[in-house]
Amino acid sequence: MLGFFRLFLSACLILTACQLATPSASAQSVKISQFSGKPVPRFASLRYARVNGRIGPSTDHQVAFEYERAGMPVLIVKETTDWARVRDFEGDEVWMHVGQLSEPDHVIVTREVALRRKPQSASPARATIEPGVLAELHSCNDRWCEISAGAYTGWIDKPSLWGLNTDTAGL
């Protein structure tokens, strides 16, 4: 009996050590969709100025929200052949027909932030951007993204933007 206990304890220690030595996955693992062949979760933008968000994946389901911001980023969290379950900036989830979505090209500013002339904290500000502003995304480097908001173009630090990183999208 003592030999069985030692064997069992050794096996438990080995399994625990293997788990600790294996790199842990992120909070939400990325999967490749069998429908689109693209990663899920991922960001997309609303293709049109009016898009219906439904409570289920068909036109037979009731409209939960009418989105009226072309370019607004949404996070695709689930897919079927023709439908995507998306999460908006405020955390609401609805179903949208995939034809209503396009490649991500916009972000939402999450806090009041200076729009900088160059991608540097010490660079002069061109404008102050308020939370909730929808901005066109031009390019990004490791820490900064160049955006256009209204008549202004400049650089904002990545942590101030929603629509780029699925790790910080509330998964």
Side-chain angles (χ1 to χ4, degrees):
M1 182 72 165
L2 186 58
F4 174 75
F5 178 72
R6 284 185 182 159
L7 182 62
F8 176 75
L9 184 59
S10 296
C12 288
L13 289 172
I14 290 170
L15 287 173
T16 301
C18 288
Q19 286 178 337
L20 292 175
T22 304
S24 62
S26 64
Q28 174 74 20
S29 61
V30 174
K31 298 175 182 139
I32 301 301
S33 169
Q34 66 182 7
F35 303 105
S36 67
K38 296 178 181 178
V40 173
R42 72 176 181 281
F43 282 99
S45 290
L46 299 186
R47 185 181 301 256
Y48 304 106
R50 178 177 242 161
V51 176
N52 290 331
R54 298 182 178 273
I55 61 172
S58 80
T59 55
D60 294 336
H61 287 90
Q62 176 183 352
V63 173
F65 295 105
E66 276 188 16
Y67 293 91
E68 297 180 344
R69 291 178 85 179
M72 185 179 88
V74 292
L75 181 67
I76 297 174
V77 295
K78 189 175 187 179
E79 287 183 312
T80 69
T81 304
D82 296 322
W83 293 85
R85 183 157 177 89
V86 301
R87 181 176 301 148
D88 65 24
F89 171 68
E90 295 176 334
D92 295 311
E93 288 191 13
V94 295
W95 288 90
M96 292 181 178
H97 191 275
V98 295
Q100 305 297 304
L101 303 171
S102 63
E103 292 298 313
D105 58 359
H106 286 76
V107 290
I108 292 181
V109 178
T110 59
R111 60 189 168 114
E112 184 175 298
V113 64
L115 182 67
R116 306 272 178 200
R117 292 181 190 271
K118 296 180 182 178
Q120 303 165 350
S121 298
S123 178
R126 290 181 179 234
T128 299
I129 307 295
E130 298 292 323
V133 167
L134 180 64
E136 184 178 354
L137 181 64
H138 297 294
S139 65
C140 293
N141 64 27
D142 290 342
R143 181 158 181 257
W144 298 86
C145 290
E146 185 179 27
I147 64 159
S148 291
Y152 298 98
T153 298
W155 295 86
I156 291 183
D157 62 323
K158 280 184 175 180
S160 300
L161 302 172
W162 190 86
L164 295 171
N165 187 350
T166 60
D167 292 340
T168 59
L171 295 173

